[in-house]
Amino acid sequence: MKKVICNIEYDTDASELIMNKTYGNFGDPWGYEERLYKNAGGKYFVYCFGGFNSPYPKEVIKRIAANKVENWIEDTKRTMT
């Protein structure tokens, strides 16, 4: 997915995948995924998608500030254990 936000391009195909978190199982209408990426310009973003009852029934790209990335990763580790 590709999206331009504030004149900055966020492209999942051209960016480095840092971490992925999955809630639920494949096909679960409540399940969803959040994937943390870093683009070539050093900007971080989260690509989100999920089932029709999830928080992300449509694909979404959200920017995330560099100083918030560590918290996102730590929250992910806590919810995955």
Side-chain angles (χ1 to χ4, degrees):
M1 179 178 189
K2 188 185 302 187
K3 185 173 185 174
V4 176
I5 305 170
C6 296
N7 295 320
I8 298 172
E9 183 175 273
Y10 299 92
D11 183 354
T12 57
D13 290 333
S15 300
E16 175 188 3
L17 176 62
I18 306 294
M19 189 170 214
N20 181 51
K21 62 180 170 179
T22 303
Y23 299 95
N25 297 315
F26 183 77
D28 179 0
W30 299 94
Y32 61 95
E33 286 191 37
E34 295 178 333
R35 297 179 182 174
L36 175 66
Y37 287 89
K38 183 177 182 182
N39 72 9
K43 302 290 185 185
Y44 292 92
F45 65 99
V46 179
Y47 167 65
C48 312
F49 61 95
F52 59 88
N53 287 327
S54 77
Y56 309 109
K58 295 183 181 180
E59 293 177 300
V60 175
I61 287 183
K62 303 187 298 185
R63 300 180 299 169
I64 183 170
N67 63 346
K68 305 279 186 192
V69 169
E70 192 63 37
N71 288 339
W72 190 92
I73 291 171
E74 289 303 315
D75 287 345
T76 299
K77 288 179 181 177
R78 260 184 265 143
T79 58
M80 293 177 84
T81 57

